[in-house]
Amino acid sequence: MGVAVIVVAAGSGTRLKADAPKAFVPVGARSMLERALEPIAQLPALEQAIVVVPADRLQQAERMLEAAGLAGRGRAVIGGAERQDSVLAGLAVLADAADTVLVHDAARPFTPVEVFERVIERVGRLTDGEGGAVPVVPVVDTLKQVDGEQIAATVDRSEVRAVQTPQGFPRAVIEAANRELTGMHTDDAGIVQRAGLAVVTVEGHPRAFKITTQDDLLRGMAMYAEDPALPRIRVGTGTDVHAFDAASPLWLAGLLWPDQPGLSGHSDGDAVAHAIVDALLGAAGLGDIGGMFGTDDPRFAGASGTVFIEGAIERLHAAGWKPVNVSVQLIGNRPKLGPRRDEAQQAMSEAVGAPVSIAATTSDALGFTGRGEGVAATATALITRL
């Protein structure tokens, strides 16, 4: 059974009153969408993960898919004004090998993987007349039917359930139901039922609650903070090497070093800045400078190393992290760091937004640095949750 999961993440989140689309709002260290992708990446039968997002978040979503280990199986597409429009956008790009389709809300970021597995397993056992499976949980509150301000009747809560996602369907069923779609529906199960098929239930999970309001967000953050298995700090290491190029100016640690041979590279060759970027990205699990910015992207030809640092910091913040400090070891015969150490540390500290210390050493005439062919830099970054 080949499984495709469509993650609906194009909502504006008006009721959440956030400064970003709801799926991109951080819950602890990472956004709702990043958390929603975690259990999906663990599904053995997964053929494809499709995230449906606002147009201006397409590239960010693609980076999240890559960070979740879904680069080869993930795809980000632009959603529509209504939830149904977004689901249709996901259905339009389904892989040929996907014969089971799950539709999941990114606003349910804590849904455990076992809920996905239960839905997939039940879809595999659907009988004639059954068109889908959805997870449900019991309703704990007393429910009343009202007429204006008056209570009209008490609803027997033993006969009702709260529906969650992911909701699962055979591909042919969900595609046909959406082709025949008329009117508005609050979920995909309603669309399939409208097409005349029954939808069965499986056990949901209390952690699969939907984040809609500020109170929901606070609940999620409190639950996340209580998890002792999640680290509050991380460490990353980055290394960069550049050969000398007498035809270029020397930029190192954000400073111009006059009368010194420069360093070769697509950008300015600032080995110190580039090592810092890799250390920061590595600590946050966001890849490396080449994957983030591209080693041959024409936009970054000759770009200052501080541009890459600023971009890395933006990505750290978006993922819910901030730098605590960075330590850099510069290896090479020249330039002599000592006379400009304070200046270099200040420049890098301002770019990072946290203290950066820089030390220098030679390699006792050993290797390419000892022969004066270039320089190397190694950085260690400590980051913490926002």
Side-chain angles (χ1 to χ4, degrees):
M1 181 185 297
V3 175
V5 183
I6 299 172
V7 183
V8 181
S12 62
T14 304
R15 285 177 287 179
L16 191 59
K17 300 178 181 178
D19 295 331
K22 181 164 67 172
F24 294 85
V25 173
V27 185
R30 284 174 289 175
S31 67
M32 294 188 209
L33 178 55
E34 288 173 290
R35 295 193 179 285
L37 291 174
E38 288 180 359
I40 296 171
Q42 300 175 41
L43 297 174
L46 183 71
E47 288 286 343
Q48 188 179 28
I50 303 166
V51 293
V52 190
V53 298
D56 62 349
R57 299 283 176 157
L58 199 61
Q59 291 184 340
Q60 186 178 0
E62 290 171 349
R63 290 194 295 269
M64 291 178 179
L65 284 165
E66 182 178 357
L70 292 166
R73 297 172 291 169
R75 181 167 181 179
V77 297
I78 299 172
E82 302 294 337
R83 186 182 190 280
Q84 291 175 6
D85 299 324
S86 293
V87 174
L88 287 170
L91 291 173
V93 298
L94 285 176
D96 292 340
D99 51 24
T100 296
V101 178
L102 271 58
V103 182
H104 185 50
D105 294 329
R108 299 182 187 271
F110 297 106
T111 303
V113 67
E114 56 262 33
V115 177
F116 288 83
E117 292 170 341
R118 282 197 286 267
V119 172
I120 293 169
E121 189 275 335
R122 189 62 182 87
V123 171
R125 295 190 293 108
L126 293 177
T127 59
D128 289 343
E130 295 177 343
V134 300
V136 299
V137 290
V139 176
V140 296
D141 294 323
T142 297
L143 301 177
K144 299 290 185 180
Q145 181 180 346
V146 298
D147 182 5
E149 295 182 346
Q150 294 185 347
I151 293 175
T154 299
V155 178
D156 185 354
R157 64 186 180 194
S158 67
E159 298 178 353
V160 296
R161 295 290 185 271
V163 178
Q164 300 177 327
T165 68
Q167 300 185 0
F169 313 92
R171 176 177 183 161
V173 169
I174 191 65
E175 288 182 329
N178 275 276
R179 282 196 299 268
E180 301 167 5
L181 177 65
T182 58
M184 297 299 295
H185 300 267
T186 59
D187 69 350
D188 303 281
I191 297 172
V192 169
Q193 287 180 291
R194 183 70 177 266
L197 295 171
V199 176
V200 299
T201 64
V202 299
E203 182 184 357
H205 198 286
R207 291 176 66 97
F209 68 93
K210 188 175 183 180
I211 296 179
T212 302
T213 67
Q214 282 284 328
D215 286 341
D216 299 328
L217 182 60
L218 290 172
R219 175 186 173 190
M221 293 179 71
M223 182 175 68
Y224 176 77
E226 290 169 1
D227 189 341
L230 297 170
R232 297 207 64 85
I233 60 172
R234 286 183 177 179
V235 177
T237 302
T239 300
D240 195 54
V241 175
H242 284 279
F244 283 121
D245 178 4
S248 303
L250 177 60
W251 285 93
L252 202 59
L255 304 179
L256 176 62
W257 301 73
D259 303 321
Q260 294 277 352
L263 294 167
S264 64
H266 177 64
S267 61
D268 65 356
D270 190 334
V272 170
H274 298 174
I276 289 174
V277 170
D278 272 348
L280 292 168
L281 294 176
L286 297 175
D288 55 37
I289 189 170
M292 190 70 69
F293 300 102
T295 56
D296 56 359
D297 191 325
R299 294 176 300 169
F300 301 116
S304 166
T306 57
V307 170
F308 299 113
I309 293 178
E310 290 165 2
I313 296 300
E314 288 178 4
R315 286 158 177 75
L316 253 67
H317 289 173
W321 296 94
K322 65 177 181 179
V324 176
N325 74 292
V326 180
S327 174
V328 183
Q329 182 78 50
L330 177 64
I331 306 169
N333 296 338
R334 62 179 188 270
K336 299 299 183 183
L337 177 67
R340 302 188 70 184
R341 185 194 311 274
D342 291 344
E343 188 181 359
Q345 291 181 156
Q346 181 178 351
M348 291 292 90
S349 297
E350 289 176 356
V352 172
V356 176
S357 60
I358 307 176
T361 187
T362 66
S363 53
D364 286 337
L366 299 175
F368 74 93
T369 56
R371 293 190 297 267
E373 297 171 3
V375 299
T378 298
T380 303
L382 180 68
I383 63 173
T384 187
R385 293 185 199 160
L386 284 171

